[in-house]
Amino acid sequence: MFLDFLAGRARQAEQLYILGDLFEAWIGDDDIDDPYHTPIIAALRAASDAGLAISVMHGNRDFLLGDGFAARAGVRLISEPYILSTAEWQFVLAHGDALCLDDTDYMAFRAQVRDPAWQAALLAKPLSERRAIAAHMREVSETSQRAKENPYTDLQPAATEDFLRQHGYATFIHGHTHQPARHDHIVDGIHVERWVLSDWHEDCGECLAWDGEALHREILRPLAQ
């Protein structure tokens, strides 16, 4: 589905922003030739070579994406939060997990894996060991989610309002929570929109498109065979 998108609809845009979790797991740029990764990277490169400017943000599953990946895929890596200003409007982009403060276990995990020293120590390990570590981390995460009535924690309201205030009441776009929606916030008497991105599946995807006047969701289906 995503490959169809990169070969088709995405190329009608000037810019594409991917806000994290492009990959289920990324254990280092030396794993770039993994058979699952190569078609995605090739499709990104083809779209980039065709003139599409692609920006990629780290997510909680692919926080080790590095310059080697960016060079091969023809994309640029952006940090969060990222301010996107157009001639008509201003947006603030983020993966979203940094505001899930009520999930204290996850926030402790996030602090650990985003620490440069921890990342350097992990990347120093052999590729086979990193694969085993990633598989174990994924298993622990899935077990934890199954034990919860609602496995996906939403953004903390007070922290979200502070975030919107700090970033000039810009329209906020993020993913991570698996709860696609458009939220209306009133912060200091100002109406601010928050758009939550959808998951992608083999038979269905979704993107947000800005047409110069408004954001709108587009449901995407695989190309007819």
Side-chain angles (χ1 to χ4, degrees):
M1 180 66 250
F2 184 62
L3 302 185
D4 290 343
F5 171 70
L6 288 175
R9 173 65 183 96
R11 299 193 189 189
Q12 301 170 24
E14 295 179 1
Q15 300 187 64
L16 172 66
Y17 291 87
I18 300 171
L19 303 187
D21 288 354
L22 173 60
F23 297 97
E24 186 72 18
W26 189 269
I27 58 175
D29 286 0
D30 53 345
D31 196 34
I32 203 166
D33 292 320
D34 179 276
Y36 178 81
H37 298 155
T38 49
I40 298 172
I41 292 168
L44 288 167
R45 184 80 218 191
S48 175
D49 288 346
L52 178 63
I54 306 173
S55 301
V56 178
M57 182 178 288
H58 296 99
N60 58 290
R61 298 181 183 179
D62 49 17
F63 51 84
L64 288 175
L65 288 171
D67 292 340
F69 158 77
R72 178 81 71 88
V75 307
R76 66 166 179 158
L77 295 174
I78 57 174
S79 58
E80 64 170 330
Y82 181 81
I83 301 299
L84 171 61
S85 296
T86 73
E88 308 86 7
W89 206 250
Q90 184 160 288
F91 305 88
V92 57
L93 314 180
H95 183 59
D97 59 333
L99 294 174
C100 295
L101 300 180
D102 291 331
D103 189 343
T104 54
D105 289 342
Y106 173 74
M107 294 308 296
F109 166 79
R110 186 183 191 279
Q112 177 189 51
V113 301
R114 295 300 184 106
D115 178 67
W118 184 92
Q119 292 185 1
L122 179 65
L123 290 171
K125 297 180 183 297
L127 190 57
S128 59
E129 186 175 348
R130 276 179 274 145
R131 286 175 176 152
I133 291 171
H136 174 70
M137 291 170 67
R138 188 65 189 148
E139 182 180 351
V140 170
S141 174
E142 291 175 351
T143 300
S144 175
Q145 288 178 353
R146 286 194 297 268
K148 298 177 181 177
E149 182 177 350
N150 181 4
Y152 302 116
T153 304
D154 205 351
L155 278 59
Q156 187 184 79
T160 301
E161 287 198 5
D162 285 343
F163 180 89
L164 297 174
R165 184 178 294 112
Q166 291 163 8
H167 293 91
Y169 313 100
T171 296
F172 183 20
I173 303 174
H174 69 88
H176 180 69
T177 66
H178 306 269
Q179 301 175 50
R182 185 183 70 83
H183 299 276
D184 295 299
H185 296 266
I186 304 299
V187 183
D188 303 331
I190 300 171
H191 172 241
V192 187
E193 291 184 351
R194 175 167 65 95
W195 293 73
V196 187
L197 301 174
S198 173
D199 293 348
W200 280 61
H201 304 281
E202 289 186 4
D203 60 346
C204 183
E206 181 182 285
C207 68
L208 287 183
W210 171 251
D211 63 10
E213 296 183 357
L215 277 174
H216 55 93
R217 294 183 186 272
E218 293 186 13
I219 305 299
L220 305 162
R221 301 289 182 182
L223 298 176
Q225 299 299 316

PDB file of all heavy atoms in Angstrom, residues 80-92:
ATOM      1  N   GLU A  80      12.009  16.572  16.165  1.00  0.00           N
ATOM      2  CA  GLU A  80      10.698  17.014  16.638  1.00  0.00           C
ATOM      3  C   GLU A  80      10.844  17.863  17.894  1.00  0.00           C
ATOM      4  O   GLU A  80      11.795  17.671  18.659  1.00  0.00           O
ATOM      5  CB  GLU A  80       9.789  15.815  16.904  1.00  0.00           C
ATOM      6  CG  GLU A  80      10.238  14.885  18.007  1.00  0.00           C
ATOM      7  CD  GLU A  80       9.171  13.855  18.372  1.00  0.00           C
ATOM      8  OE1 GLU A  80       7.959  14.130  18.242  1.00  0.00           O
ATOM      9  OE2 GLU A  80       9.576  12.779  18.792  1.00  0.00           O
ATOM     10  N   PRO A  81       9.944  18.793  18.079  1.00  0.00           N
ATOM     11  CA  PRO A  81       8.877  19.179  17.145  1.00  0.00           C
ATOM     12  C   PRO A  81       9.447  19.941  15.956  1.00  0.00           C
ATOM     13  O   PRO A  81      10.473  20.612  16.065  1.00  0.00           O
ATOM     14  CB  PRO A  81       7.981  20.078  17.995  1.00  0.00           C
ATOM     15  CG  PRO A  81       8.892  20.643  19.031  1.00  0.00           C
ATOM     16  CD  PRO A  81       9.902  19.570  19.337  1.00  0.00           C
ATOM     17  N   TYR A  82       8.758  19.831  14.833  1.00  0.00           N
ATOM     18  CA  TYR A  82       9.200  20.489  13.603  1.00  0.00           C
ATOM     19  C   TYR A  82       8.162  21.525  13.208  1.00  0.00           C
ATOM     20  O   TYR A  82       6.977  21.209  13.075  1.00  0.00           O
ATOM     21  CB  TYR A  82       9.370  19.457  12.486  1.00  0.00           C
ATOM     22  CG  TYR A  82       9.841  20.062  11.181  1.00  0.00           C
ATOM     23  CD1 TYR A  82      11.192  20.342  10.967  1.00  0.00           C
ATOM     24  CD2 TYR A  82       8.928  20.379  10.174  1.00  0.00           C
ATOM     25  CE1 TYR A  82      11.619  20.911   9.781  1.00  0.00           C
ATOM     26  CE2 TYR A  82       9.355  20.946   8.983  1.00  0.00           C
ATOM     27  CZ  TYR A  82      10.697  21.218   8.793  1.00  0.00           C
ATOM     28  OH  TYR A  82      11.123  21.789   7.624  1.00  0.00           O
ATOM     29  N   ILE A  83       8.600  22.756  13.017  1.00  0.00           N
ATOM     30  CA  ILE A  83       7.693  23.816  12.604  1.00  0.00           C
ATOM     31  C   ILE A  83       7.656  23.871  11.083  1.00  0.00           C
ATOM     32  O   ILE A  83       8.690  24.045  10.424  1.00  0.00           O
ATOM     33  CB  ILE A  83       8.139  25.181  13.162  1.00  0.00           C
ATOM     34  CG1 ILE A  83       8.195  25.138  14.693  1.00  0.00           C
ATOM     35  CG2 ILE A  83       7.183  26.275  12.694  1.00  0.00           C
ATOM     36  CD1 ILE A  83       6.878  24.837  15.358  1.00  0.00           C
ATOM     37  N   LEU A  84       6.465  23.701  10.536  1.00  0.00           N
ATOM     38  CA  LEU A  84       6.261  23.758   9.092  1.00  0.00           C
ATOM     39  C   LEU A  84       5.439  25.002   8.775  1.00  0.00           C
ATOM     40  O   LEU A  84       4.259  25.085   9.130  1.00  0.00           O
ATOM     41  CB  LEU A  84       5.541  22.498   8.607  1.00  0.00           C
ATOM     42  CG  LEU A  84       5.058  22.504   7.144  1.00  0.00           C
ATOM     43  CD1 LEU A  84       6.239  22.671   6.189  1.00  0.00           C
ATOM     44  CD2 LEU A  84       4.287  21.221   6.839  1.00  0.00           C
ATOM     45  N   SER A  85       6.072  25.945   8.126  1.00  0.00           N
ATOM     46  CA  SER A  85       5.394  27.190   7.763  1.00  0.00           C
ATOM     47  C   SER A  85       5.153  27.214   6.263  1.00  0.00           C
ATOM     48  O   SER A  85       6.078  26.994   5.470  1.00  0.00           O
ATOM     49  CB  SER A  85       6.232  28.401   8.166  1.00  0.00           C
ATOM     50  OG  SER A  85       6.397  28.472   9.564  1.00  0.00           O
ATOM     51  N   THR A  86       3.924  27.465   5.873  1.00  0.00           N
ATOM     52  CA  THR A  86       3.588  27.672   4.471  1.00  0.00           C
ATOM     53  C   THR A  86       3.187  29.129   4.287  1.00  0.00           C
ATOM     54  O   THR A  86       3.099  29.893   5.253  1.00  0.00           O
ATOM     55  CB  THR A  86       2.428  26.758   4.035  1.00  0.00           C
ATOM     56  OG1 THR A  86       1.195  27.240   4.608  1.00  0.00           O
ATOM     57  CG2 THR A  86       2.665  25.312   4.486  1.00  0.00           C
ATOM     58  N   ALA A  87       2.923  29.508   3.063  1.00  0.00           N
ATOM     59  CA  ALA A  87       2.506  30.883   2.811  1.00  0.00           C
ATOM     60  C   ALA A  87       1.168  31.180   3.476  1.00  0.00           C
ATOM     61  O   ALA A  87       0.860  32.334   3.781  1.00  0.00           O
ATOM     62  CB  ALA A  87       2.411  31.127   1.304  1.00  0.00           C
ATOM     63  N   GLU A  88       0.377  30.133   3.703  1.00  0.00           N
ATOM     64  CA  GLU A  88      -0.973  30.342   4.209  1.00  0.00           C
ATOM     65  C   GLU A  88      -1.143  30.023   5.695  1.00  0.00           C
ATOM     66  O   GLU A  88      -2.024  30.585   6.353  1.00  0.00           O
ATOM     67  CB  GLU A  88      -1.977  29.468   3.419  1.00  0.00           C
ATOM     68  CG  GLU A  88      -1.903  29.599   1.911  1.00  0.00           C
ATOM     69  CD  GLU A  88      -0.868  28.677   1.279  1.00  0.00           C
ATOM     70  OE1 GLU A  88      -0.298  27.834   2.004  1.00  0.00           O
ATOM     71  OE2 GLU A  88      -0.635  28.802   0.070  1.00  0.00           O
ATOM     72  N   TRP A  89      -0.308  29.104   6.248  1.00  0.00           N
ATOM     73  CA  TRP A  89      -0.595  28.611   7.585  1.00  0.00           C
ATOM     74  C   TRP A  89       0.676  28.089   8.233  1.00  0.00           C
ATOM     75  O   TRP A  89       1.687  27.910   7.558  1.00  0.00           O
ATOM     76  CB  TRP A  89      -1.651  27.498   7.516  1.00  0.00           C
ATOM     77  CG  TRP A  89      -2.453  27.330   8.763  1.00  0.00           C
ATOM     78  CD1 TRP A  89      -2.400  26.290   9.652  1.00  0.00           C
ATOM     79  CD2 TRP A  89      -3.442  28.221   9.269  1.00  0.00           C
ATOM     80  NE1 TRP A  89      -3.289  26.475  10.667  1.00  0.00           N
ATOM     81  CE2 TRP A  89      -3.950  27.667  10.467  1.00  0.00           C
ATOM     82  CE3 TRP A  89      -3.941  29.444   8.834  1.00  0.00           C
ATOM     83  CZ2 TRP A  89      -4.923  28.283  11.230  1.00  0.00           C
ATOM     84  CZ3 TRP A  89      -4.923  30.064   9.588  1.00  0.00           C
ATOM     85  CH2 TRP A  89      -5.401  29.476  10.776  1.00  0.00           C
ATOM     86  N   GLN A  90       0.578  27.842   9.536  1.00  0.00           N
ATOM     87  CA  GLN A  90       1.715  27.259  10.255  1.00  0.00           C
ATOM     88  C   GLN A  90       1.271  26.004  10.986  1.00  0.00           C
ATOM     89  O   GLN A  90       0.216  25.975  11.606  1.00  0.00           O
ATOM     90  CB  GLN A  90       2.309  28.253  11.245  1.00  0.00           C
ATOM     91  CG  GLN A  90       3.564  27.723  11.949  1.00  0.00           C
ATOM     92  CD  GLN A  90       4.411  28.820  12.540  1.00  0.00           C
ATOM     93  OE1 GLN A  90       5.064  29.566  11.826  1.00  0.00           O
ATOM     94  NE2 GLN A  90       4.405  28.924  13.861  1.00  0.00           N
ATOM     95  N   PHE A  91       2.126  24.982  10.907  1.00  0.00           N
ATOM     96  CA  PHE A  91       1.860  23.693  11.536  1.00  0.00           C
ATOM     97  C   PHE A  91       3.032  23.334  12.447  1.00  0.00           C
ATOM     98  O   PHE A  91       4.166  23.760  12.220  1.00  0.00           O
ATOM     99  CB  PHE A  91       1.711  22.594  10.477  1.00  0.00           C
ATOM    100  CG  PHE A  91       0.672  22.878   9.438  1.00  0.00           C
ATOM    101  CD1 PHE A  91       0.991  23.587   8.282  1.00  0.00           C
ATOM    102  CD2 PHE A  91      -0.632  22.451   9.607  1.00  0.00           C
ATOM    103  CE1 PHE A  91       0.032  23.854   7.319  1.00  0.00           C
ATOM    104  CE2 PHE A  91      -1.600  22.710   8.660  1.00  0.00           C
ATOM    105  CZ  PHE A  91      -1.265  23.414   7.511  1.00  0.00           C
ATOM    106  N   VAL A  92       2.754  22.517  13.453  1.00  0.00           N
ATOM    107  CA  VAL A  92       3.817  21.920  14.256  1.00  0.00           C
ATOM    108  C   VAL A  92       3.637  20.406  14.165  1.00  0.00           C
ATOM    109  O   VAL A  92       2.543  19.881  14.383  1.00  0.00           O
ATOM    110  CB  VAL A  92       3.804  22.427  15.716  1.00  0.00           C
ATOM    111  CG1 VAL A  92       2.476  22.184  16.400  1.00  0.00           C
ATOM    112  CG2 VAL A  92       4.948  21.797  16.506  1.00  0.00           C
TER     113      VAL A  92
END
